[in-house]
Amino acid sequence: MSPDNPLHRRSFLKGTAALSLLGFSGVASATPGRDPGPKTDEILVGVSKHVDTRQAVEQHVPGNAEIVHENETLSYVAVKFPSEAPANARENFVDAVTKKEGVKYAEANATHEALYTTNDPQYGDQYAPQQVNADTAWDTTLGSSDVTVAVVDQGVKYDHPDLSAQFGSDEGYDFVDADSDPYPDVLADEYHGTHVAGIAAGTTNNDEGIGGISNASLLSGRALSEQGSGSTSDIADAVQWATDRGADVVNLSLGGGGYTNTMKNAVSYATTNGTLVVAAAGNDGQRSVSYPAAYSEALAVSALDPDETLASYSNYGPEIDVAAPGTNVLSCWTTSTEYESISGTSMATPVVSGVAALALSEFSLAPSDLRQHLRDTAVDVGLSDDQQGSGRVDAANAVTTTPGSGGGDGGDGDGGSGDSTTATASGTLSWYNDDDGYTYDWSYSSPSRVVVELDGPADADFDLFVSEGTGSPPTTSSYDYRSWTTDSQEQIAIDDPDDSAALGILVDRYSGSGDYTVTITETQ
């Protein structure tokens, strides 16, 4: 570690029970008869990695409930209660099961909605690619088929004339109906995923219809029903599946389920395994960014009108990373009209996913670096930081600016020198009450970003906590940021961190033992 940027270590103790460990991977199939779409009668229970997930939970499931689904990679199960169960049955189960050894959380299987607003007037011309200077970027690259954008949404009409060339032999997976065909069930009703896919990667320069932002490959993870809603478990499973399939970008034009540990773990899993999650801010017109966009690892997108003012429906807030055109965006459709214009943060999000794919066609970037590059190369359109983040995303800047060199004129102070420094510390946790605390002294004045990463043992569950502006390590009950997936691969990213005092870091052993490394990357 740099002598100018030391990590100061402080060890202290915390009581935690030891656990026996077993290893698993993969997504289990849904139980036959499991209903598609929202699953309001289910509780999701997350269990520490390498504990037998089903065994750890099923002994505590009441007789009128049953385990109906399991995701071994994200280490959770879904417990279904009968609809006629007493109102407090689920609450009693959550209270009881979260006290059990090895259980990290229990929460409702929240419902998420597609984030779009239908608009009757049609624009005869496509304006979104021009507004983000994609046409200029295309002088450098149309995008590479080696880059994959996964659309986790409604099903995609993958035989659409402007989409078929972007799909390979395996179009994706249907998490709603649990089969290998993500094609929409009812074309007249299920158009959202197709519209989103066309914005991100409708085939450009093919003498057909519209031009998408990039010619990236597409992958469809159908997780929303014909009605545009879907459960946390289906969406989380789709994010994990897309990551394991090698998707470079996952587009989430959905939200409304609030904070859930299951979705947070899926987004963290994607980020630590090389996939950038791009998510819609929400369509309530409020200063409240929806989840999953509000998770620290996700790139949150607000929507602009054609005149580059904030769209009246767009949510906004300090979590916004970039803005993009979202009103009256023309794209692919599922019926005989083939193309329609609709509005929403759902439409702004795939614009950013397409720009991310263009950038990846030119540069090899980890998710956190790609996110920062899109912020660095964004253009200030005169809105507040809460409304535009670093600014309106710009495709031409993204493909012509060397990552880390700054550039752009974003609205929140990004676009500086782009210099970065890295410090590391290593340790071992083995006792049942082990944890290590550190403080990190800043290298730059007013750093634009800091990323804290934990790389722990594969057969253990270590968690990461961070505090700003305190000068001392956090505790597991008092912290500003927490990453506690069910394994030992954790990441916390903070934009414009508070540098008034040293950054506080805690590595906590939840189960298992072994060596770990903490890496802090600070960007000017």
Side-chain angles (χ1 to χ4, degrees):
M1 97 188 50
S2 168
D4 296 325
N5 301 287
L7 281 174
H8 306 290
R9 176 171 178 161
R10 189 180 89 191
S11 298
F12 46 99
L13 304 178
K14 180 184 75 66
T16 304
L19 300 172
S20 59
L21 306 176
L22 293 171
F24 297 93
S25 65
V27 178
S29 298
T31 300
R34 179 172 162 82
D35 293 333
K39 299 172 176 63
T40 56
D41 294 329
E42 294 182 3
I43 299 295
L44 304 181
V45 184
V47 178
S48 183
K49 196 72 169 179
H50 306 297
V51 172
D52 185 325
T53 309
R54 181 177 289 269
Q55 182 177 349
V57 177
E58 63 184 358
Q59 59 186 311
H60 308 299
V61 175
N64 63 340
E66 62 176 328
I67 293 177
V68 294
H69 178 68
E70 179 179 1
N71 184 313
E72 296 167 334
T73 299
L74 298 180
S75 296
Y76 79 84
V77 297
V79 178
K80 181 177 175 59
F81 286 74
S83 57
E84 65 273 12
N88 63 347
R90 297 172 193 80
E91 296 176 6
N92 292 340
F93 172 67
V94 169
D95 183 62
V97 79
T98 50
K99 296 175 182 177
K100 304 303 180 182
E101 193 172 272
V103 175
K104 301 200 77 168
Y105 67 85
E107 60 195 10
N109 195 354
T111 300
H112 301 258
E113 305 285 344
L115 296 177
Y116 68 96
T117 302
T118 302
N119 194 311
D120 292 332
Q122 286 202 33
Y123 280 69
D125 298 319
Q126 194 179 5
Y127 80 96
Q130 294 88 337
Q131 191 172 80
V132 300
N133 292 317
D135 48 352
T136 302
W138 295 337
D139 291 336
T140 301
T141 179
L142 288 173
S144 171
S145 60
D146 293 334
V147 177
T148 299
V149 175
V151 176
V152 174
D153 206 289
Q154 289 182 327
V156 175
K157 186 181 180 183
Y158 48 74
D159 59 357
H160 188 285
D162 243 332
L163 295 175
S164 59
Q166 308 312 116
F167 282 92
S169 57
D170 183 2
E171 292 85 6
Y173 191 81
D174 186 340
F175 291 86
V176 176
D177 294 333
D179 61 51
S180 59
D181 187 0
Y183 204 78
D185 280 359
V186 182
L187 289 173
D189 297 333
E190 195 172 341
Y191 48 79
H192 187 265
T194 299
H195 199 270
V196 166
I199 295 169
T203 311
T204 301
N205 200 34
N206 67 338
D207 293 323
E208 185 75 49
I210 56 100
I213 301 296
S214 74
N215 274 355
S217 294
L218 284 168
L219 195 60
S220 173
R222 184 173 183 256
L224 302 182
S225 68
E226 297 94 314
Q227 291 73 36
S229 59
S231 66
T232 293
S233 58
D234 284 347
I235 298 164
D237 287 356
V239 171
Q240 176 245 307
W241 163 84
T243 300
D244 290 346
R245 288 289 307 275
D248 299 285
V249 178
V250 167
N251 188 97
L252 296 180
S253 290
L254 49 84
Y259 183 103
T260 70
N261 290 287
T262 304
M263 189 72 77
K264 172 67 162 61
N265 288 347
V267 174
S268 296
Y269 180 83
T271 304
T272 57
N273 285 278
T275 301
L276 177 68
V277 176
V278 183
N283 287 354
D284 303 310
Q286 299 177 355
R287 191 181 185 276
S288 177
V289 175
S290 296
Y291 290 98
Y295 295 128
S296 61
E297 299 95 333
L299 192 150
V301 182
S302 61
L304 302 176
D305 284 337
D307 63 358
E308 296 197 327
T309 58
L310 185 73
S312 61
Y313 54 80
S314 180
N315 287 6
Y316 58 97
E319 298 87 357
I320 294 297
D321 287 290
V322 293
T327 300
N328 291 320
V329 178
L330 183 66
S331 186
C332 302
W333 206 248
T334 51
T335 63
S336 58
T337 59
E338 293 193 340
Y339 304 95
E340 291 282 356
S341 295
I342 57 175
S343 304
T345 53
S346 274
M347 286 58 256
T349 301
V351 171
V352 177
S353 293
V355 173
L358 285 176
L360 289 175
S361 300
E362 290 295 297
F363 308 108
S364 178
L365 296 167
S368 61
D369 296 328
L370 175 58
R371 176 183 174 182
Q372 187 61 40
H373 182 61
L374 295 175
R375 290 167 57 94
D376 285 345
T377 56
V379 174
D380 186 351
V381 293
L383 302 177
S384 69
D385 296 349
D386 281 0
Q387 294 175 329
Q388 69 172 359
S390 294
R392 190 257 300 140
V393 72
D394 191 279
N397 288 346
V399 302
T400 60
T401 303
T402 302
S405 64
D409 52 1
D412 61 357
D414 289 340
S417 70
D419 292 340
S420 64
T421 185
T422 300
T424 62
S426 299
T428 301
L429 298 178
S430 56
W431 296 91
Y432 73 93
N433 55 359
D434 243 356
D435 43 27
D436 289 338
Y438 299 90
T439 57
Y440 171 77
D441 291 332
W442 300 100
S443 174
Y444 306 120
S445 60
S446 300
S448 65
R449 183 174 175 83
V450 62
V451 179
V452 184
E453 298 173 279
L454 172 64
D455 182 10
D459 56 352
D461 183 359
F462 292 176
D463 298 325
L464 180 66
F465 301 80
V466 171
S467 60
E468 292 183 271
T470 63
S472 60
T475 68
T476 57
S477 59
S478 179
Y479 54 85
D480 292 320
Y481 303 92
R482 175 184 71 179
S483 180
W484 68 325
T485 62
T486 54
D487 59 21
S488 300
Q489 307 299 309
E490 311 290 351
Q491 182 184 97
I492 293 171
I494 308 170
D495 295 313
D496 303 313
D498 181 353
D499 62 350
S500 62
L503 190 72
I505 300 165
L506 176 72
V507 181
D508 176 65
R509 173 200 173 277
Y510 186 85
S511 66
S513 62
D515 299 333
Y516 68 84
T517 299
V518 175
T519 303
I520 295 90
T521 303
E522 179 189 354
T523 304
Q524 189 172 20

